[in-house]
């Protein structure tokens, strides 16, 4: 009824033999996650044509990754700036959460400033639409 396993188990118990593949520490994993969120925020910021903000974000991505991020040239025709501002706000919020988790004050302040800027942009677009 029960057939014993014929292969070695893939489950590793604590204190058992050493493992050959590399593991990331929590700090390294948070760095990778934060760089990813900032990279996505950078892409949206570039799409919106916010050059000064994009340069500040790119500097933080470069610090986290150790290399300059890939940048897309601004196309000049942001199809739906409201959607882009909302997306940027959401990405900045995610970056703020991870930055706070890893106690990165510089990125946390930058993310909070970006959230405020995109909130103001959304509010002005809503106000203009109401008129």
């Amino acid at each position: 009824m029960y057939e014993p396993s014929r292969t070695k188990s893939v489950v590793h118990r604590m204190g058992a033999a050493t493992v050959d593949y590399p593991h990331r520490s929590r700090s390294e994993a948070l760095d990778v996650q934060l760089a990813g969120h900032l990279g996505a925020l950078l892409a949206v910021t570039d799409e919106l044509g916010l050059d000064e903000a994009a340069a500040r974000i790119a500097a933080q991505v470069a610090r986290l990754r150790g290399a300059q991020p890939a940048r897309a040239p601004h196309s000049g025709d942001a199809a739906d700036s409201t959607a882009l501002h909302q997306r940027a706000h959401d990405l900045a919020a995610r970056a703020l959460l991870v930055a706070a988790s890893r106690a990165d004050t510089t990125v946390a302040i930058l993310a909070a400033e970006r959230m405020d800027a995109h909130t103001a942009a959304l509010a002005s677009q809503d106000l203009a639409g109401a008129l």
Side-chain angles (χ1 to χ4, degrees), residues 76-92:
D77 57 328
D80 185 10
S81 63
T82 301
L84 288 174
H85 280 293
Q86 184 61 52
R87 175 90 175 122
H89 181 275
D90 294 344
L91 288 166

Side-chain angles (χ1 to χ4, degrees), residues 39-56:
L41 178 60
L42 176 61
V44 176
T45 305
D46 278 339
E47 182 69 24
L48 286 166
L50 305 172
D51 295 331
E52 183 181 329
R56 291 179 62 205

Side-chain angles (χ1 to χ4, degrees), residues 20-40:
D20 293 339
Y21 55 90
H23 289 280
R24 285 193 178 125
S25 68
R26 176 167 168 71
S27 176
E28 291 169 333
L30 288 173
D31 284 350
V32 169
Q33 187 177 22
L34 183 57
H37 290 315
L38 287 175

Side-chain angles (χ1 to χ4, degrees), residues 102-121:
R102 68 182 293 274
D104 190 332
T105 308
T106 305
V107 174
I109 291 170
L110 175 62
E113 289 172 358
R114 296 314 312 147
M115 286 177 66
D116 290 344
H118 293 295
T119 299

